[in-house]
């Protein structure tokens, strides 16, 4: 393996790192459908969004036209902590599979938050500071987003209030401690500090919370406090914009190596990783300059793309957020508790939903035991212990590499390794013990949730 | 910060990565004292060591003359997974401290084992495989070494039996799961699978174990099994040899940047990190080519260098290993249970002990609350959540940078950041809660342990 032309890891030099985000929407012939005010049924205005989000972020959310948006110098500085991230040639995995395919992955886990979430957290914290705000609020489930935001707020000296779903707060005390070390204030949700939380606790004594409730609490905490705004780590257009840094770096690194990908694979929950990973490649595809197979991978237990509907729905179970047109399983859909990884969101980024609806990408759902088998094989060959979310992409990358083996094709397969699994070891334990179960919702279950969706748009 | 000449991170390219380890002993005018057979009081022979360790590693252990030892191609390949590691300019920390000093750190934590231990685990597993062995045994306390060895054994398809101190096994279930994911067999120690373990369980029912007992179990498991050898992650000459990769990469990166360090700082437990970090610099110092201040940092609760004796002592509390001449607190010394980080070893690498005795380096002990305060400041400014062990070096790097501020000096301070603290969050929680205590052994305590040391050499 010593004489290979392609290095094991490719890092861009610091002056090759992109200095502008790429706004894929500018190249979409059909723009993503606008967010709607659930009260009026009309597109939400910048003014309405400005009560909840920072002004600069509202502008980015609504901007479907500007192709490149400069990354502020302070955010570039912050990115230097953990970017550029490496593009890794998976030589050891290729050897283990005996495949003629060339496998590459873009690794976003080499930072303390453990995932790509930091790319958007850095930007959102910066704009909040820029606007002279005191702090931001957010919710976190598994904790990656909360950790990323805590790190960004520590860097920009901003107060950070995280509502953490109570069952995670109790079961993942270490994630909580990382956030506290970065100075964040972490509250188990439902809490007694918001009206929504107090009502939830009164109506459902002993409840261990849900992401939907935590969102509602975080939004309430932001809008009722002077100098605070709410921030969100996925789904939104602005988040995909910030995450385009992943795809831009990957595009530059592949160009440097003279490699054109045949297949690009990313896991998809709310779409923040996938949207960033594919952005410049999808742009080329939309402009007719290049063609790529693009595959979104989702859990069989939360199959928004593969079994959901493309329609307007609430972004949150608490119905405090605007309506978005997206692939959705219904805002009341909650994946089985035995589903281990993230990617539990009922909906999907409106940008990706529109592109999928136009046939610009494929989607595939995978069951979790096969995902963890792929994770284990990857860990043992490539060394990195992957996050369960990322392992969905690994599963399909391996499957595609095995197809190449059967067909005798030396395709270039590129996937996104969004993060590490250091805080997901309860799930690994279940897999190691052989006690992990798969779960696929029935058609009847899905229909029941579709029936509760709003009749709009 | 954009216009700086020195990049935030410096990675060597893959063809600049060293292909030979540097054996510092070759440049020592006085060689480290030989290991002694505790029965005969005579230097242990290669044959005696060969019952416990792999042949190639025994040769490296006893080789005081060969300056450069080629790294086998398969180990170079494995190193490509996680090496080169970055040399990072701590711009953000410098800014927070307002110091004119330039601070650099070599970061060894960007791999799943979370520390530099993988450098030696890779080598030791390779040589075991080369020799046609079936497997290796070892002990682990906090779990970093066990994780590193599990990863290396998975890569080289070698069986791996880890005896994990029972209290860690129970309190750090996640570390255990990482090892299991890499296919290792993890047994809580004392176990019922060895004579030593059964005796310990019978004599001390309900004991939660000690590192000394786990070493004894691992050695017994190796010597009583056909095709197995025992491996150790610190203290030994061979381990320092493998860890020289850290210092060699750092030396090459600093040379590339045109930076000459004034002060080099590393944490010291058994000496594996420090010995590797300083190797080529100490070599220059010994040869009279260059001068550097070199500072070993140890916990005030386990002060081998600063309060220990330079004498022959047992390497383990179970007295199954040879005697080594080293700075030691006595083989029965156990640091207070409230001491959080690693660096709990009673002795010190014989190589480093000899150099310290000759006045070639300084040593400083620090208390753990001040270590965690430094860790927190580092995390919030530089982003990385450091291991408690590494944070000892951070503490002194910050202190030196503040001295530079007082004296108005722009010195170059370089320290080793050995790993990440993702599995040390119980300690961080104690610090965050304000319940962390310091502990310094009394002179009487130390004297009592000195009195129990063997009268040899």
């Amino acid at each position: 393996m010593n004489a290979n032309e392609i290095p094991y890891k490719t890092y861009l030099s610091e002056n090759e790192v992109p200095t502008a985000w790429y706004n894929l929407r500018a190249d979409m012939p059909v723009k993503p459908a606008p967010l709607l005010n659930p009260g009026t049924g009309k597109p939400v205005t910048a003014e309405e969004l400005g009560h909840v989000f920072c002004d600069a972020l509202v502008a980015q959310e609504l901007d479907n036209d500007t192709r490149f948006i400069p990354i502020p110098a302070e955010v570039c500085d912050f990115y230097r902590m953990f970017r550029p991230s490496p593009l890794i040639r998976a030589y050891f995995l290729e050897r283990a599979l005996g495949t003629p395919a060339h496998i590459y992955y873009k690794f976003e886990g080499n930072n303390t938050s453990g995932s790509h979430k930091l790319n958007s957290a850095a930007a959102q914290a910066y704009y909040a500071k820029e606007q002279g705000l005191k702090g931001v609020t957010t919710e976190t489930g598994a904790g990656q987003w909360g950790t990323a935001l805590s790190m960004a707020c520590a860097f920009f000296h901003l107060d950070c209030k995280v509502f953490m779903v109570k069952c995670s707060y109790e079961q993942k005390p270490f994630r909580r401690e990382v956030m506290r070390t970065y100075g964040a204030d972490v509250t188990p949700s439902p809490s007694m500090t918001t009206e929504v939380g107090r009502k939830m606790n009164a109506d459902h004594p002993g409840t261990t919370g849900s992401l939907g409730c935590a969102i509602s609490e975080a939004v309430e905490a932001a809008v009722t406090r002077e100098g605070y705004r709410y921030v969100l780590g996925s789904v939104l257009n602005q988040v995909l914009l910030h995450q385009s840094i992943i795809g831009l770096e990957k595009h530059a690194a592949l160009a440097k190596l003279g490699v054109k990908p045949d297949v690009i694979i990313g896991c998809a929950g709310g779409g923040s990783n996938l949207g960033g990973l594919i952005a410049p490649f999808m742009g080329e595809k939309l402009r007719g300059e290049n063609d790529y197979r693009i595959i979104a991978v989702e859990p069989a237990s939360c199959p928004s793309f593969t079994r959901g509907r493309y329609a307007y729905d609430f972004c949150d179970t608490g119905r405090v957020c605007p309506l978005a047109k997206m692939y959705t399983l219904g805002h009341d859909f909650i994946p089985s508790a035995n589903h281990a990884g993230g990617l539990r969101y009922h909906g999907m980024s409106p940008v990706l939903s529109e592109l999928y609806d136009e046939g610009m990408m494929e989607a595939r759902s995978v069951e979790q035991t096969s995902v963890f088998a792929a994770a284990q094989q990857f860990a043992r060959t490539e060394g990195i212990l992957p996050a369960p979310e990322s392992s969905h992409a690994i599963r399909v990358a391996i499957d595609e590499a095995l197809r190449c083996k059967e067909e005798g094709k030396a395709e270039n397969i590129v996937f996104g390794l969004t993060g590490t699994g250091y805080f997901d070891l309860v799930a690994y334990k279940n897999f190691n013990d052989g006690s992990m179960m798969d779960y696929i919702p029935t058609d009847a279950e899905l229909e029941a949730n579709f029936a509760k969706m709003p009749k709009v748009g």
Side-chain angles (χ1 to χ4, degrees), chain A residues 10 80 90 169 171 184 187 198 214 219 283-284 333 377 394 424:
Chain A
T10 302
R80 294 175 78 187
Y169 183 90
Q171 288 169 13
T187 307
R198 286 188 292 272
V219 172
E284 289 181 356
F333 181 84
Q377 180 169 27
I394 297 174
D424 300 287

Side-chain angles (χ1 to χ4, degrees), chain A residues 48-269:
Chain A
E48 286 169 332
L49 286 174
H51 296 301
V52 180
F53 300 111
C54 303
D55 298 342
L57 294 166
V58 169
Q60 292 180 356
E61 189 64 29
L62 300 176
D63 185 342
N64 286 339
D65 305 307
T66 312
R67 220 162 162 209
F68 287 97
I69 295 180
I71 306 174
E74 291 84 347
V75 178
C76 285
D77 256 7
F78 188 43
Y79 279 176
R80 294 175 78 187
M81 263 191 196
F82 62 104
R83 310 210 67 84
S85 73
L87 179 75
I88 305 180
R89 172 77 183 267
Y91 281 118
F92 304 121
L93 181 62
E94 289 172 19
R95 181 171 66 181
L97 297 173
T99 178
H102 295 187
I103 309 175
Y104 297 83
Y105 55 98
K106 178 76 172 160
F107 181 41
E108 292 288 315
N110 267 353
N111 70 73
T112 290
S113 81
S115 84
H116 67 292
K117 296 279 183 184
L118 199 51
N119 297 322
S120 186
Q124 297 195 47
Y126 165 74
Y127 288 118
K129 187 69 183 179
E130 252 293 282
Q131 194 175 325
L133 297 176
K134 285 185 207 152
V136 292
T137 70
T138 200
E139 76 292 334
T140 201
Q144 287 169 328
W145 168 246
T147 310
L149 190 67
S150 304
M151 290 176 67
C153 287
F155 190 81
F156 289 115
H157 303 285
L158 205 62
D159 187 34
C160 180
K161 292 193 188 306
V162 180
F163 289 86
M164 189 171 187
V165 178
K166 195 180 272 176
C167 64
S168 294
Y169 183 90
E170 283 161 3
Q171 288 169 13
K172 295 200 169 189
F174 293 164
R175 269 282 181 204
R176 188 211 314 166
E177 286 311 319
V178 180
M179 291 185 256
R180 284 181 73 202
T181 298
Y182 283 94
D185 171 40
V186 187
T187 307
S189 166
S191 74
M192 298 304 279
T193 67
T194 67
E195 210 167 298
V196 173
R198 286 188 292 272
K199 183 170 186 318
M200 184 65 74
N201 275 316
D203 293 352
H204 305 276
T207 176
T208 56
S210 71
L211 204 57
C213 176
I215 293 177
S216 307
E217 285 206 278
V219 172
E220 181 185 326
V223 299
T224 56
R225 262 188 187 77
E226 189 64 31
Y228 280 76
R229 291 293 185 283
Y230 168 72
V231 297
L232 182 68
S234 192
V235 184
L236 297 175
N237 297 341
Q238 58 184 271
V239 177
L240 267 72
L241 173 71
H242 306 147
Q243 296 296 356
S244 70
I245 189 81
I246 306 173
L248 291 167
E249 276 189 12
K250 185 178 62 149
H251 195 276
L254 286 169
K256 227 173 139 171
L257 299 175
V259 172
K260 182 187 173 293
D262 296 292
V263 193
I264 302 171
I265 301 164
C267 61

